[in-house]
């Protein structure tokens, strides 16, 4: 999707992916190799103007190596260090005066027992590193859950968090250029099922100007603290109008896919503008949008495209359980029209949307 946004701007792309089937291969030369493979990295980055990444699991050491010996790597690799470790993420927020769920590091069983007593019930035990789509975390509802949670996750560095009774989940997508200029899309409302993002609505309904500004302010602090360049997504809990940071994604983000059709400028185009040191463009929404992920299966394009305002994105990935293989963005003029249109997607394979 980055390349799809950049090709009309005259940019050309090479890709590194461990899989020979990577979809990006349709848009430019694909080097198949591990993301930490020095030869593969040297090969794919040779002569490039700039190098970027769209997965936060990229080894930070590999990103540093490229940046030290080859083209600039943006966003800066320090963003990977932070976003790869839930403890560092929350410590950074705390240092910047940004709210998060209460948390404590857990390295052994004694830490865990002490932490749950301090934080209270319910809690969430998470691996500090490597979790995604709800994997690597267990909710602790009462003391009887602790043994099982420890058996499931113990042995690697962990963090325990207070389980927040949020009203809803939001995200803020922010972009910062090399000159330090920043811009923010309207807050997005996100609906997960089983830890997987299923639907985003943008702009999030019922967001006051004060809430939008609070989201922008906290994202702006993170952008500046990391000397960030590119798109940063911040996942938030809205608790009675107060925003707590859940996690950071130092990349274009699934909750920003709606911006392709639903905003003046997509997250992909502005990410490229930022890393190229080009001017950023408007992040304003055009009408209202809903983005529905296709998880585990793809609907028939004919059925999707029959819905007014629907745009279909097929990632050409082999479907597997829980795997995001495409998305649909529905755009409309107002909330009622959006509702009427998204209702027409009900029953399409992969799009079962939780209430
Ligand atoms: N402290 C928490 N309180 C309440 N819900 C949580 C908490 N942490 C995670 N969740 C729920 O689990 C989902 C996935 O957790 P997250 O930390 O974002 O991990 P992942 O990397 O899998 O996205 C969140 O979107 C939220 O719905
Ligand atoms: Mg998340």
């Amino acid at each position: 999707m980055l390349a799809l946004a950049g090709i009309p701007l005259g940019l050309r792309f090479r890709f590194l992916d461990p899989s020979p089937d990577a979809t990006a291969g349709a848009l430019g030369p694909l080097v198949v190799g591990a993301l930490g493979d020095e030869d593969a990295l040297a090969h794919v980055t040779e002569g490039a103007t700039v190098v970027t990444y769209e997965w936060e699991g990229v080894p930070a050491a590999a990103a540093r190596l490229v940046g030290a010996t080859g083209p600039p790597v943006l966003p800066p690799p320090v963003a990977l260090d932070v976003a790869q470790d839930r403890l560092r993420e929350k410590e950074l927020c705390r240092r910047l005066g940004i709210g998060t769920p209460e948390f404590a590091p857990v390295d052994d069983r004694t830490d865990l027992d002490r932490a749950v007593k301090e934080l209270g019930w319910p809690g969430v035990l998470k691996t500090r590193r490597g979790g995604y789509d709800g994997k690597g975390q267990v909710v602790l509802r009462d003391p009887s859950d602790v043994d099982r949670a420890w058996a499931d996750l113990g042995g690697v560095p962990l963090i325990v968090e207070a389980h927040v009774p949020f009203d809803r989940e939001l995200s803020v997508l922010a972009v910062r250029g090399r000159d330090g200029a920043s811009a923010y899309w309207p807050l997005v409302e996100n609906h997960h099922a089983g830890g997987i993002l299923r639907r985003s609505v943008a702009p999030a309904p019922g967001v006051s100007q004060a809430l939008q500004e609070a989201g922008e302010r906290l994202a702006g602090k993170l952008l500046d603290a990391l000397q960030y360049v590119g798109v940063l997504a911040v996942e938030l809990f809205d608790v009675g109008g107060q925003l707590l940071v859940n996690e950071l994604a130092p990349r274009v983000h699934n909750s920003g896919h709606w911006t392709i059709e639903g905003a003046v400028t997509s997250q992909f185009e502005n990410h490229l503008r930022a890393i190229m040191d080009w001017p950023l463009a408007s992040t304003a929404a055009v009408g209202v949008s809903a983005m529905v992920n296709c998880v585990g299966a793809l609907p028939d394009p004919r059925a999707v495209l029959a819905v007014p305002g629907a745009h279909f994105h097929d990632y050409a990935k082999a479907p597997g359980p829980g795997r995001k293989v495409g998305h649909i963005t529905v755009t409309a003029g107002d909330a009622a029209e959006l509702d009427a249109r998204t209702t027409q997607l009900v029953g399409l394979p992969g799009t079962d949307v939780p209430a």
Side-chain angles (χ1 to χ4, degrees), residues 86 126 132-134 137 169 192 195 235 246-248 253:
R86 296 184 189 280
K126 301 181 180 180
Y132 69 98
D133 282 351
Q137 53 180 280
E169 292 190 77
H192 296 82
E235 296 182 8
N246 172 35
E247 64 172 348
L248 313 180
H253 191 252

Side-chain angles (χ1 to χ4, degrees), residues 2-13 265-266 268-274 276 278-279:
L2 281 166
L4 287 172
I7 290 170
L9 297 173
L11 301 176
R12 294 296 177 262
F13 296 81
T265 313
S266 76
F268 302 101
E269 179 173 333
N270 259 344
H271 181 80
L272 296 170
R273 286 171 174 251
M276 289 297 293
W278 290 349

Side-chain angles (χ1 to χ4, degrees), residues 18-354:
S19 166
D21 301 327
T23 316
L27 298 170
L30 172 68
V31 176
V32 179
L35 302 183
D37 179 328
E38 290 187 21
D39 290 336
L41 283 166
H43 184 46
V44 75
T45 63
E46 193 197 345
T49 307
V50 62
V51 175
T52 192
Y53 49 86
E54 49 95 75
W55 184 49
E56 69 268 34
V58 169
R64 278 209 173 77
L65 178 75
V66 172
T69 55
V73 175
L74 297 169
V78 67
L80 290 170
D81 295 326
V82 172
Q84 285 171 0
D85 184 342
R86 296 184 189 280
L87 182 63
R88 284 194 63 175
E89 239 167 29
K90 291 204 165 56
E91 285 173 344
L92 175 64
C93 289
R94 185 175 273 177
R95 184 163 68 72
L96 296 173
I98 297 169
T100 68
E102 291 300 317
F103 64 94
V106 170
D107 291 319
D108 56 37
R109 184 57 204 261
T110 322
D111 286 349
L112 178 57
D113 291 332
R114 190 187 319 122
V116 288
K117 227 176 266 166
E118 271 171 30
L119 298 179
W121 307 93
V124 195
L125 185 64
K126 301 181 180 180
T127 57
R128 278 172 59 178
R129 305 179 72 87
Y132 69 98
D133 282 351
K135 294 180 179 48
Q137 53 180 280
V138 178
V139 177
L140 307 169
R141 281 175 225 290
D142 59 59
S144 70
D145 286 336
V146 176
D147 282 337
R148 187 182 42 84
W150 181 254
D152 281 357
L153 300 181
V156 295
L158 301 171
I159 182 172
V160 67
E161 301 172 9
H163 192 270
V164 177
F166 54 75
D167 299 313
R168 57 176 172 171
E169 292 190 77
L170 300 171
S171 57
V172 56
L173 291 139
V175 60
R176 184 174 182 275
R178 288 210 209 179
D179 60 357
S182 60
Y184 308 85
W185 282 267
L187 293 179
V188 185
E189 181 176 299
N190 299 314
H191 298 262
H192 296 82
I196 300 177
L197 181 66
R198 297 306 302 250
R199 181 164 51 107
S200 293
V201 179
V207 170
S208 64
Q209 195 182 329
L211 193 68
Q212 177 69 30
E213 284 170 4
E216 294 184 9
R217 209 161 36 242
L218 71 83
K221 284 185 191 174
L222 291 163
L223 290 177
D224 289 338
L226 295 167
Q227 285 295 294
Y228 196 88
V229 178
V231 167
L232 173 74
V234 186
E235 296 182 8
L236 303 165
F237 298 139
D238 176 357
V239 194
Q242 211 203 326
L243 297 178
L244 300 180
V245 168
N246 172 35
E247 64 172 348
L248 313 180
R251 55 174 167 85
V252 288
H253 191 252
N254 195 178
S255 73
H257 287 3
W258 65 274
T259 60
I260 297 173
E261 295 91 2
V264 175
T265 313
S266 76
Q267 61 168 348
F268 302 101
E269 179 173 333
N270 259 344
H271 181 80
L272 296 170
R273 286 171 174 251
I275 65 174
M276 289 297 293
D277 200 14
W278 290 349
L280 302 180
S282 169
T283 48
V286 180
V288 292
S289 304
M291 189 283 314
V292 176
N293 273 333
C294 303
V295 179
L298 273 177
D300 181 341
R302 226 175 264 280
V304 176
L305 298 175
V307 177
H311 304 267
F312 187 45
H313 298 257
D314 175 346
Y315 304 160
K317 286 181 170 179
R323 190 164 198 221
K324 294 169 183 166
V325 289
H327 77 265
I328 299 161
T329 296
V330 182
T331 57
D334 59 40
E337 187 179 45
L338 185 64
D339 201 46
R341 291 177 170 184
T342 48
T343 303
Q344 297 178 51
L345 300 176
V346 170
L348 295 184
T351 67
D352 320 319
V353 177

